[in-house]
Amino acid sequence: MSATLRERVLVRVRETSWAIDANDGIISTAGLLQGFAGAGAGDRLLLFAAVAALIAGGLSAGGAKWAEVAAEREEQLRIAAVPLAITFLAPVAIETSAILVAVVVSLALTSLVAAGVGRISALRMLARTLVVGLGTMAASYVAGLVFF
């Protein structure tokens, strides 16, 4: 009986791991951009930072575990491109707000899908993801304000 429970837990972990990777890409890229925005960086620097974060995130997922995480990495790179696209397309006056809204929507969607697939509480998954994501972005923004 415990083997069945163990198998069910492992299946749920595998089913929701893509959301964790996607959220990591979203949060880390958006947090970095918020820090630079808080420091008063212009469009060109924000775009450069977003591209650098996207490339670094992709490379960090590679290496020794490349074969194991190839599918997850591809999904993370696609979803982490949301803050990058906003940085490129949105006017600087609304850039921070646009990134915030896009990140909340992206994290909410990935959390709700993962909760459904993993058959776990959608409200808890959403709350945890948003607290971590928005907290990371706020800390990065404040760091940018304080240090630059």
Side-chain angles (χ1 to χ4, degrees), residues 30-42 46 95-96 137-148:
L32 178 70
L33 293 176
Q34 290 296 324
F36 276 91
L46 287 172
E95 197 167 85
T96 300
M137 290 172 59
S140 297
Y141 188 79
V142 169
L145 288 173
V146 170
F147 295 110
F148 296 97

Side-chain angles (χ1 to χ4, degrees), residues 19-140:
I20 294 167
D21 292 338
N23 289 344
D24 180 50
I26 294 166
I27 292 167
S28 62
T29 302
L32 178 70
L33 293 176
Q34 290 296 324
F36 276 91
D43 282 342
R44 191 170 182 187
L45 181 57
L46 287 172
L47 182 59
F48 177 78
V51 170
L54 192 63
I55 292 169
L59 292 174
S60 71
K65 293 188 174 188
W66 180 83
E68 181 183 337
V69 299
E72 291 91 353
R73 186 186 80 235
E74 290 170 6
E75 186 63 30
Q76 179 184 3
L77 290 175
R78 267 185 248 130
I79 295 173
V82 171
L84 171 63
I86 291 170
T87 300
F88 184 70
L89 299 172
V92 73
I94 65 163
E95 197 167 85
T96 300
S97 299
I99 289 172
L100 179 65
V101 169
V103 166
V104 168
V105 170
S106 299
L107 292 177
L109 288 174
T110 58
S111 296
L112 294 174
V113 169
V117 169
R119 294 178 292 287
I120 58 177
S121 169
L123 188 58
R124 285 184 190 155
M125 179 77 155
L126 181 61
R128 284 185 208 127
T129 302
L130 289 177
V131 165
V132 170
L134 295 176
T136 299
M137 290 172 59
S140 297

